[in-house]
Amino acid sequence: MVHDDSRISYPMCFIFYTPRDSQMELQMMYAYTKSALQREINLTRVYEIRELDELTEEWLKEKLK
């Protein structure tokens, strides 16, 4: 990621995708796994999407501001 002052950074983030039409049991399992992973590796930037169309370069840049 190139910042306005020309610095380059490599932010780490976790993008969690849960399909909107998945079974409730799977959604709960995914949510537990997400929380466990987040705690284990101490992630601070965690984003969840429900539709793959949401995941664009513009969306990610906006989240990482």
Side-chain angles (χ1 to χ4, degrees):
M1 179 172 192
V2 178
H3 298 271
D4 294 336
D5 62 0
S6 299
R7 288 179 300 118
I8 297 175
S9 67
Y10 301 92
M12 183 187 329
C13 64
F14 178 54
I15 301 172
F16 179 73
Y17 169 61
T18 305
R20 209 176 279 286
D21 58 349
S22 62
Q23 297 174 0
M24 184 56 73
E25 296 84 17
L26 290 176
Q27 288 184 26
M28 292 172 60
M29 186 174 65
Y30 291 157
Y32 174 76
T33 304
K34 177 190 87 162
S35 298
L37 180 62
Q38 185 177 354
R39 282 190 309 272
E40 184 68 27
I41 59 177
N42 197 27
L43 286 171
T44 56
R45 295 180 180 193
V46 178
Y47 308 110
E48 184 172 348
I49 60 171
R50 294 293 185 142
E51 301 292 336
L52 285 179
D53 294 344
E54 295 175 28
L55 183 56
T56 64
E57 185 175 351
E58 293 79 24
W59 176 87
L60 185 56
K61 285 180 179 180
E62 181 64 32
K63 293 293 185 182
L64 294 176
K65 281 185 181 178

Coordinates of all heavy atoms in Angstrom, one line a residue:
M1 N 0.9 -1.2 0.0 CA 0.0 0.0 0.0 C 0.9 1.2 0.0 O 1.8 1.4 0.8 CB -0.9 0.0 1.2 CG -1.8 1.1 1.4 SD -2.9 0.8 2.8 CE -4.1 2.1 2.4
V2 N 0.7 2.1 -1.0 CA 1.5 3.3 -1.0 C 0.7 4.5 -0.4 O -0.5 4.7 -0.8 CB 1.8 3.7 -2.5 CG1 2.6 5.0 -2.6 CG2 2.6 2.5 -3.2
H3 N 1.2 5.1 0.6 CA 0.6 6.2 1.3 C 0.8 7.5 0.6 O 1.6 7.6 -0.3 CB 1.1 6.3 2.7 CG 0.8 5.0 3.5 ND1 -0.3 4.8 4.2 CD2 1.6 3.9 3.7 CE1 -0.3 3.6 4.8 NE2 0.8 3.0 4.5
D4 N 0.0 8.5 1.0 CA 0.1 9.9 0.4 C 1.5 10.4 0.5 O 2.0 11.2 -0.4 CB -0.9 10.8 1.0 CG -2.3 10.4 0.7 OD1 -2.5 9.7 -0.3 OD2 -3.2 10.8 1.5
D5 N 2.3 10.1 1.5 CA 3.6 10.6 1.7 C 4.7 9.7 1.1 O 5.9 9.8 1.4 CB 3.9 10.9 3.2 CG 3.9 9.6 4.0 OD1 3.6 8.5 3.4 OD2 4.1 9.7 5.2
S6 N 4.3 8.8 0.2 CA 5.1 7.9 -0.5 C 5.7 6.7 0.3 O 6.5 5.9 -0.2 CB 6.3 8.6 -1.2 OG 5.8 9.6 -2.1
R7 N 5.3 6.6 1.5 CA 5.7 5.4 2.3 C 5.0 4.2 1.8 O 3.9 4.3 1.3 CB 5.3 5.6 3.8 CG 6.2 6.5 4.6 CD 5.7 6.6 6.0 NE 4.3 7.0 6.1 CZ 3.3 6.3 6.6 NH1 3.5 5.1 7.1 NH2 2.1 6.7 6.6
I8 N 5.6 3.0 1.9 CA 5.0 1.8 1.5 C 4.8 0.9 2.7 O 5.7 0.8 3.5 CB 5.9 1.0 0.5 CG1 6.0 1.9 -0.8 CG2 5.3 -0.3 0.2 CD1 6.9 1.3 -1.8
S9 N 3.6 0.4 2.9 CA 3.4 -0.5 4.0 C 2.7 -1.7 3.5 O 2.1 -1.8 2.4 CB 2.5 0.2 5.1 OG 1.2 0.5 4.6
Y10 N 2.7 -2.8 4.3 CA 2.1 -4.0 4.0 C 1.2 -4.4 5.1 O 1.5 -5.3 6.0 CB 3.2 -5.1 3.8 CG 4.2 -4.7 2.7 CD1 5.3 -4.0 3.0 CD2 3.9 -5.0 1.4 CE1 6.2 -3.7 2.0 CE2 4.8 -4.7 0.4 CZ 5.9 -4.0 0.7 OH 6.8 -3.6 -0.3
P11 N 0.0 -3.8 5.2 CA -0.9 -4.1 6.3 C -1.4 -5.5 6.2 O -1.7 -6.1 5.1 CB -2.0 -3.1 6.1 CG -2.0 -2.7 4.7 CD -0.6 -2.9 4.2
M12 N -1.5 -6.1 7.4 CA -2.1 -7.5 7.4 C -3.6 -7.3 7.9 O -3.8 -6.7 8.9 CB -1.4 -8.4 8.4 CG -2.0 -9.8 8.3 SD -1.5 -11.1 9.5 CE 0.1 -10.9 9.9
C13 N -4.4 -8.0 7.2 CA -5.8 -7.9 7.6 C -6.4 -9.3 7.3 O -5.9 -10.1 6.5 CB -6.6 -6.8 6.9 SG -6.7 -7.0 5.2
F14 N -7.5 -9.6 8.0 CA -8.2 -10.9 7.8 C -9.6 -10.6 7.2 O -10.3 -9.8 7.8 CB -8.3 -11.6 9.2 CG -9.1 -12.9 9.1 CD1 -8.7 -13.9 8.3 CD2 -10.1 -13.1 10.0 CE1 -9.4 -15.1 8.2 CE2 -10.8 -14.3 10.0 CZ -10.4 -15.3 9.1
I15 N -9.8 -11.1 6.0 CA -11.1 -10.9 5.4 C -11.9 -12.2 5.5 O -11.5 -13.2 5.0 CB -10.9 -10.5 3.9 CG1 -10.1 -9.2 3.8 CG2 -12.3 -10.3 3.2 CD1 -9.7 -8.8 2.5
F16 N -13.0 -12.1 6.2 CA -13.8 -13.2 6.5 C -15.0 -13.3 5.7 O -15.8 -12.3 5.7 CB -14.1 -13.1 8.0 CG -15.0 -14.2 8.5 CD1 -14.5 -15.5 8.7 CD2 -16.3 -14.0 8.8 CE1 -15.2 -16.5 9.2 CE2 -17.1 -15.0 9.3 CZ -16.6 -16.3 9.5
Y17 N -15.2 -14.3 4.9 CA -16.3 -14.4 4.0 C -17.2 -15.5 4.5 O -16.8 -16.7 4.7 CB -15.8 -14.8 2.6 CG -16.9 -15.2 1.6 CD1 -17.9 -14.3 1.3 CD2 -16.9 -16.4 1.0 CE1 -18.9 -14.7 0.4 CE2 -17.9 -16.8 0.1 CZ -18.9 -15.9 -0.2 OH -19.9 -16.3 -1.1
T18 N -18.5 -15.1 4.7 CA -19.5 -16.1 5.1 C -20.7 -15.9 4.0 O -21.3 -14.8 4.0 CB -20.1 -15.8 6.5 OG1 -19.1 -15.8 7.4 CG2 -21.1 -16.8 6.9
P19 N -20.9 -16.9 3.2 CA -22.0 -16.8 2.2 C -23.3 -16.5 2.9 O -23.6 -17.2 3.9 CB -22.0 -18.1 1.5 CG -20.6 -18.7 1.8 CD -20.2 -18.2 3.1
R20 N -24.1 -15.6 2.4 CA -25.3 -15.2 3.0 C -26.3 -16.4 3.1 O -27.1 -16.5 4.0 CB -26.0 -14.1 2.1 CG -26.8 -13.2 2.9 CD -27.3 -12.0 2.0 NE -26.4 -11.0 1.9 CZ -26.1 -10.1 2.8 NH1 -26.6 -10.1 4.0 NH2 -25.2 -9.1 2.5
D21 N -26.2 -17.3 2.1 CA -27.2 -18.4 2.0 C -26.7 -19.7 2.7 O -27.3 -20.8 2.5 CB -27.6 -18.6 0.6 CG -26.5 -19.0 -0.3 OD1 -25.3 -18.8 0.1 OD2 -26.7 -19.4 -1.5
S22 N -25.6 -19.6 3.4 CA -25.1 -20.9 4.0 C -25.9 -21.2 5.2 O -26.6 -20.4 5.8 CB -23.6 -20.7 4.5 OG -23.5 -19.7 5.4
Q23 N -25.8 -22.5 5.6 CA -26.6 -23.0 6.8 C -26.2 -22.3 8.1 O -25.1 -22.0 8.3 CB -26.4 -24.5 6.9 CG -26.9 -25.3 5.7 CD -26.5 -26.8 5.9 OE1 -25.9 -27.2 6.9 NE2 -26.9 -27.6 4.9
M24 N -27.2 -22.1 8.9 CA -27.0 -21.4 10.2 C -25.9 -22.1 11.0 O -25.0 -21.5 11.6 CB -28.3 -21.3 11.0 CG -28.1 -20.5 12.3 SD -27.4 -18.9 12.1 CE -28.9 -18.1 11.4
E25 N -25.8 -23.5 11.0 CA -24.8 -24.2 11.8 C -23.4 -23.9 11.3 O -22.5 -23.7 12.0 CB -25.1 -25.7 11.7 CG -26.4 -26.2 12.4 CD -27.6 -26.0 11.4 OE1 -27.4 -25.9 10.2 OE2 -28.7 -26.0 11.9
L26 N -23.3 -23.8 9.9 CA -22.0 -23.5 9.4 C -21.6 -22.0 9.7 O -20.4 -21.7 9.9 CB -22.0 -23.7 7.8 CG -22.1 -25.1 7.4 CD1 -22.2 -25.2 5.9 CD2 -20.9 -25.9 7.9
Q27 N -22.6 -21.1 9.6 CA -22.3 -19.7 10.0 C -21.8 -19.6 11.4 O -20.8 -18.8 11.7 CB -23.5 -18.8 9.8 CG -23.9 -18.6 8.3 CD -25.0 -17.7 8.2 OE1 -25.3 -16.8 9.0 NE2 -25.8 -17.8 7.1
M28 N -22.3 -20.4 12.3 CA -21.9 -20.3 13.7 C -20.5 -20.9 13.8 O -19.6 -20.4 14.5 CB -22.9 -21.1 14.6 CG -24.2 -20.4 14.7 SD -25.5 -21.3 15.5 CE -24.8 -21.6 17.1
M29 N -20.2 -22.0 13.1 CA -18.9 -22.6 13.1 C -17.9 -21.6 12.5 O -16.8 -21.5 13.1 CB -18.9 -23.9 12.3 CG -17.6 -24.7 12.4 SD -17.6 -26.3 11.6 CE -17.9 -25.8 9.9
Y30 N -18.2 -21.0 11.4 CA -17.3 -20.0 10.8 C -17.0 -18.9 11.8 O -15.9 -18.4 11.9 CB -17.9 -19.4 9.6 CG -18.0 -20.3 8.4 CD1 -19.0 -20.1 7.4 CD2 -17.2 -21.5 8.2 CE1 -19.1 -20.9 6.3 CE2 -17.4 -22.3 7.1 CZ -18.3 -22.0 6.2 OH -18.4 -22.8 5.1
A31 N -18.0 -18.4 12.5 CA -17.9 -17.3 13.4 C -16.9 -17.7 14.6 O -16.1 -16.9 15.0 CB -19.2 -16.8 14.0
Y32 N -17.1 -18.9 15.1 CA -16.2 -19.4 16.2 C -14.8 -19.5 15.7 O -13.8 -19.0 16.3 CB -16.7 -20.7 16.7 CG -15.7 -21.3 17.7 CD1 -15.7 -20.8 19.0 CD2 -14.8 -22.3 17.3 CE1 -14.8 -21.2 19.9 CE2 -13.9 -22.7 18.3 CZ -13.9 -22.2 19.5 OH -13.0 -22.7 20.4
T33 N -14.6 -20.0 14.5 CA -13.3 -20.1 13.9 C -12.6 -18.8 13.7 O -11.4 -18.6 14.0 CB -13.3 -20.9 12.6 OG1 -14.0 -22.2 12.8 CG2 -12.0 -21.1 12.0
K34 N -13.4 -17.8 13.2 CA -12.9 -16.5 13.0 C -12.4 -15.9 14.3 O -11.3 -15.3 14.4 CB -14.0 -15.6 12.4 CG -13.5 -14.1 12.2 CD -14.7 -13.2 11.9 CE -15.3 -12.8 13.1 NZ -16.2 -11.6 13.1
S35 N -13.2 -16.0 15.3 CA -12.8 -15.4 16.6 C -11.6 -16.1 17.2 O -10.7 -15.4 17.7 CB -14.0 -15.6 17.6 OG -15.1 -14.9 17.2
A36 N -11.5 -17.4 17.1 CA -10.3 -18.2 17.6 C -9.1 -17.7 16.8 O -8.0 -17.5 17.5 CB -10.6 -19.7 17.4
L37 N -9.1 -17.6 15.5 CA -8.0 -17.2 14.7 C -7.6 -15.8 15.1 O -6.4 -15.5 15.2 CB -8.3 -17.3 13.2 CG -7.2 -16.9 12.3 CD1 -6.0 -17.8 12.5 CD2 -7.7 -16.9 10.9
Q38 N -8.6 -14.9 15.2 CA -8.3 -13.5 15.6 C -7.6 -13.4 16.9 O -6.6 -12.7 17.0 CB -9.6 -12.8 15.6 CG -9.4 -11.3 15.8 CD -10.8 -10.6 15.8 OE1 -11.8 -11.1 15.5 NE2 -10.7 -9.3 16.1
R39 N -8.0 -14.2 17.9 CA -7.3 -14.2 19.2 C -5.9 -14.8 19.1 O -5.0 -14.3 19.7 CB -8.1 -15.0 20.2 CG -9.3 -14.2 20.8 CD -9.9 -14.9 21.9 NE -10.2 -16.3 21.7 CZ -11.4 -16.8 21.1 NH1 -12.3 -15.9 20.8 NH2 -11.6 -18.1 20.9
E40 N -5.8 -15.9 18.4 CA -4.5 -16.6 18.3 C -3.4 -15.8 17.7 O -2.3 -15.8 18.2 CB -4.7 -17.9 17.5 CG -3.5 -18.8 17.4 CD -3.1 -19.4 18.7 OE1 -4.0 -19.6 19.6 OE2 -1.9 -19.7 18.9
I41 N -3.7 -15.1 16.6 CA -2.6 -14.3 16.0 C -2.8 -12.8 16.2 O -2.1 -12.0 15.5 CB -2.5 -14.7 14.5 CG1 -3.8 -14.4 13.7 CG2 -2.1 -16.1 14.3 CD1 -3.7 -14.6 12.2
N42 N -3.6 -12.4 17.1 CA -3.8 -11.1 17.6 C -4.0 -10.1 16.4 O -3.4 -9.1 16.2 CB -2.5 -10.6 18.3 CG -2.8 -9.4 19.1 OD1 -3.9 -9.1 19.5 ND2 -1.7 -8.6 19.4
L43 N -5.0 -10.4 15.6 CA -5.4 -9.6 14.5 C -6.2 -8.4 14.9 O -7.1 -8.6 15.8 CB -6.2 -10.4 13.4 CG -5.5 -11.4 12.6 CD1 -6.5 -12.2 11.8 CD2 -4.5 -10.7 11.7
T44 N -5.9 -7.2 14.4 CA -6.7 -6.1 14.7 C -7.6 -5.6 13.6 O -8.6 -4.9 13.8 CB -5.8 -4.9 15.2 OG1 -4.9 -4.6 14.1 CG2 -5.1 -5.2 16.4
R45 N -7.2 -6.0 12.4 CA -8.0 -5.6 11.2 C -8.8 -6.8 10.7 O -8.2 -7.6 10.0 CB -7.1 -5.0 10.1 CG -6.5 -3.7 10.5 CD -5.6 -3.2 9.5 NE -5.0 -2.0 9.9 CZ -4.4 -1.2 9.1 NH1 -4.3 -1.4 7.8 NH2 -3.8 -0.1 9.5
V46 N -10.0 -6.9 11.1 CA -10.8 -8.0 10.7 C -12.1 -7.5 10.0 O -12.8 -6.7 10.5 CB -11.2 -8.9 11.9 CG1 -12.1 -10.1 11.4 CG2 -10.0 -9.4 12.6
Y47 N -12.3 -8.0 8.8 CA -13.5 -7.5 8.0 C -14.3 -8.7 7.5 O -13.7 -9.7 7.1 CB -13.0 -6.7 6.8 CG -12.0 -5.6 7.2 CD1 -10.7 -5.7 6.8 CD2 -12.4 -4.5 7.9 CE1 -9.8 -4.7 7.2 CE2 -11.5 -3.5 8.3 CZ -10.2 -3.6 7.9 OH -9.3 -2.6 8.3
E48 N -15.6 -8.5 7.6 CA -16.5 -9.6 7.1 C -17.2 -9.2 5.9 O -17.7 -8.0 5.9 CB -17.4 -9.9 8.3 CG -18.3 -11.1 8.0 CD -19.1 -11.6 9.2 OE1 -18.8 -11.2 10.3 OE2 -20.0 -12.4 9.0
I49 N -17.4 -10.0 5.0 CA -18.2 -9.8 3.8 C -19.2 -10.9 3.7 O -18.9 -12.1 4.1 CB -17.4 -9.6 2.5 CG1 -16.6 -10.8 2.2 CG2 -16.5 -8.3 2.6 CD1 -15.9 -10.7 0.8
R50 N -20.3 -10.6 3.1 CA -21.3 -11.7 2.8 C -21.5 -12.0 1.3 O -22.0 -13.0 1.0 CB -22.7 -11.2 3.3 CG -22.8 -11.0 4.8 CD -22.6 -12.4 5.5 NE -22.8 -12.3 6.9 CZ -23.4 -13.2 7.6 NH1 -24.0 -14.2 7.0 NH2 -23.5 -13.0 8.9
E51 N -21.0 -11.1 0.5 CA -21.1 -11.3 -1.0 C -19.7 -11.0 -1.5 O -19.1 -10.1 -1.2 CB -22.1 -10.3 -1.6 CG -23.5 -10.3 -1.1 CD -24.2 -11.6 -1.5 OE1 -23.8 -12.2 -2.5 OE2 -25.2 -12.0 -0.7
L52 N -19.3 -11.9 -2.4 CA -17.9 -11.8 -3.0 C -17.8 -10.5 -3.8 O -16.7 -10.0 -4.0 CB -17.6 -13.0 -3.8 CG -17.2 -14.3 -3.0 CD1 -16.9 -15.4 -3.9 CD2 -16.0 -14.0 -2.1
D53 N -18.9 -10.1 -4.4 CA -18.9 -8.8 -5.2 C -18.5 -7.6 -4.3 O -18.0 -6.6 -4.9 CB -20.3 -8.6 -5.8 CG -20.7 -9.6 -6.8 OD1 -19.8 -10.4 -7.3 OD2 -21.8 -9.7 -7.1
E54 N -18.6 -7.7 -3.0 CA -18.2 -6.6 -2.1 C -16.7 -6.4 -2.1 O -16.2 -5.4 -1.8 CB -18.7 -6.9 -0.7 CG -20.2 -6.9 -0.5 CD -20.5 -7.3 0.9 OE1 -19.7 -7.0 1.9 OE2 -21.6 -7.8 1.1
L55 N -16.0 -7.5 -2.3 CA -14.5 -7.5 -2.2 C -13.9 -7.0 -3.4 O -13.6 -7.7 -4.4 CB -14.0 -8.9 -1.9 CG -12.5 -9.1 -1.7 CD1 -12.1 -8.2 -0.5 CD2 -12.2 -10.5 -1.4
T56 N -13.6 -5.7 -3.4 CA -12.9 -5.0 -4.5 C -11.7 -4.3 -4.0 O -11.6 -4.1 -2.7 CB -13.9 -4.0 -5.2 OG1 -14.2 -2.9 -4.2 CG2 -15.1 -4.6 -5.7
E57 N -10.8 -3.9 -4.8 CA -9.7 -3.1 -4.4 C -10.0 -1.8 -3.8 O -9.5 -1.4 -2.7 CB -8.8 -2.9 -5.6 CG -7.5 -2.2 -5.3 CD -6.5 -2.0 -6.4 OE1 -6.8 -2.6 -7.5 OE2 -5.5 -1.4 -6.2
E58 N -11.1 -1.2 -4.3 CA -11.5 0.1 -3.7 C -12.1 -0.1 -2.3 O -11.8 0.7 -1.4 CB -12.6 0.7 -4.5 CG -12.1 1.2 -5.9 CD -12.0 0.1 -6.9 OE1 -12.7 -0.9 -6.8 OE2 -11.2 0.3 -7.8
W59 N -12.8 -1.2 -2.1 CA -13.4 -1.5 -0.7 C -12.2 -1.7 0.3 O -12.2 -1.2 1.4 CB -14.2 -2.8 -0.8 CG -14.8 -3.3 0.4 CD1 -15.9 -2.8 1.1 CD2 -14.2 -4.2 1.3 NE1 -16.1 -3.5 2.3 CE2 -15.0 -4.4 2.4 CE3 -13.0 -5.0 1.2 CZ2 -14.8 -5.3 3.4 CZ3 -12.8 -5.9 2.2 CH2 -13.6 -6.0 3.3
L60 N -11.2 -2.5 -0.2 CA -10.1 -2.8 0.7 C -9.3 -1.5 1.0 O -8.9 -1.3 2.2 CB -9.2 -3.8 0.1 CG -8.0 -4.3 0.9 CD1 -8.6 -4.9 2.3 CD2 -7.3 -5.4 0.2
K61 N -9.1 -0.7 0.1 CA -8.3 0.5 0.3 C -9.1 1.4 1.3 O -8.5 2.0 2.2 CB -8.1 1.3 -1.0 CG -7.0 0.7 -1.8 CD -6.8 1.5 -3.1 CE -5.7 0.9 -3.9 NZ -5.5 1.6 -5.2
E62 N -10.4 1.5 1.2 CA -11.2 2.3 2.1 C -11.1 1.7 3.5 O -11.0 2.5 4.5 CB -12.6 2.3 1.6 CG -13.6 3.1 2.5 CD -13.2 4.6 2.5 OE1 -12.8 5.1 1.5 OE2 -13.5 5.2 3.5
K63 N -11.1 0.4 3.7 CA -11.0 -0.2 5.0 C -9.7 0.0 5.6 O -9.6 0.2 6.8 CB -11.3 -1.7 4.9 CG -12.7 -2.0 4.5 CD -13.7 -1.6 5.6 CE -15.1 -2.1 5.3 NZ -16.0 -1.7 6.3
L64 N -8.6 0.1 4.8 CA -7.3 0.2 5.3 C -6.8 1.6 5.6 O -5.7 1.8 6.1 CB -6.3 -0.5 4.4 CG -6.4 -2.0 4.3 CD1 -5.5 -2.6 3.2 CD2 -6.2 -2.7 5.6
K65 N -7.7 2.6 5.3 CA -7.3 4.0 5.6 C -7.1 4.2 7.0 O -7.7 3.7 7.9 CB -8.4 4.9 5.1 CG -8.3 5.1 3.6 CD -9.3 6.2 3.2 CE -9.3 6.4 1.7 NZ -10.3 7.3 1.3

